[in-house]
């Protein structure tokens, strides 16, 4: 197993610069994901809803729903050549993503909550 070093990746989300640590191999994926989230938040806040926090929550829920759809597709996949191990691995990865979304949602401040929006 190789020794993977973490690198710092700076991205912009909702007008704020944020730094993430990731492996070199995942840098492009992180940038693409951040750009997708930023675009979704920008689209939501361009309408009557100007709350970045609300837009972030709506974006998180939207992506969580997409994850649920993918999990269902993986469960019912009968495609020949896909082994049970591959399906299990994909399900585990989707579960990990779902947990990360849950953690992000827990870190966001909700109305009446003293928690800040920054984890």
């Amino acid at each position: 197993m190789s020794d993977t070093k973490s690198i710092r990746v700076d991205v912009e989300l909702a007008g704020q610069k944020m730094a993430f640590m990731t492996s070199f191999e995942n840098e492009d994926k992180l940038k693409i994901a951040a750009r997708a989230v930023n675009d979704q938040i920008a689209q939501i806040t361009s309408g009557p809803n100007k709350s970045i926090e609300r837009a972030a929550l709506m974006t998180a829920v939207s992506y969580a729903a997409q994850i649920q759809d993918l999990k269902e597709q993986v469960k019912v996949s009968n495609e020949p050549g896909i082994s049970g191990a591959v399906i299990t691995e994909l399900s585990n990865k989707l579960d990990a993503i779902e947990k990360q979304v849950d953690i992000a949602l827990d870190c966001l401040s909700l109305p009446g909550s003293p928690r800040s929006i920054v984890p």
Side-chain angles (χ1 to χ4, degrees):
M1 187 168 164
S2 65
D3 182 23
T4 306
K5 295 196 180 214
S6 292
I7 61 169
R8 177 186 165 131
V9 177
D10 295 316
V11 298
E12 187 170 319
L13 293 170
Q16 297 181 22
K17 291 195 183 256
M18 302 185 87
F20 291 87
M21 297 301 289
T22 190
S23 66
F24 178 77
E25 295 82 20
N26 288 323
E27 179 180 7
D28 288 338
K29 290 179 196 174
L30 176 65
K31 287 179 179 179
I32 291 168
R35 195 169 22 252
V37 168
N38 192 53
D39 290 349
Q40 182 80 17
I41 290 172
Q43 181 180 0
I44 293 169
T45 57
S46 70
N49 176 23
K50 300 295 183 201
S51 167
I52 291 173
E53 184 175 295
R54 184 171 172 83
L57 286 168
M58 292 172 72
T59 298
V61 170
S62 174
Y63 284 131
Q66 290 176 34
I67 290 168
Q68 287 302 115
D69 287 344
L70 289 172
K71 286 174 80 169
E72 290 302 315
Q73 289 175 19
V74 167
K75 284 180 185 175
V76 297
S77 176
N78 292 329
E79 184 143 348
I82 297 180
S83 70
V86 170
I87 291 174
T88 299
E89 181 181 350
L90 288 172
S91 290
N92 290 340
K93 286 181 179 182
L94 287 169
D95 287 341
I97 293 168
E98 188 173 29
K99 284 179 186 175
Q100 289 175 333
V101 169
D102 288 341
I103 290 168
L105 285 172
D106 286 343
C107 291
L108 291 173
S109 170
L110 300 175
S113 172
R115 292 178 291 173
S116 68
I117 196 166
V118 180

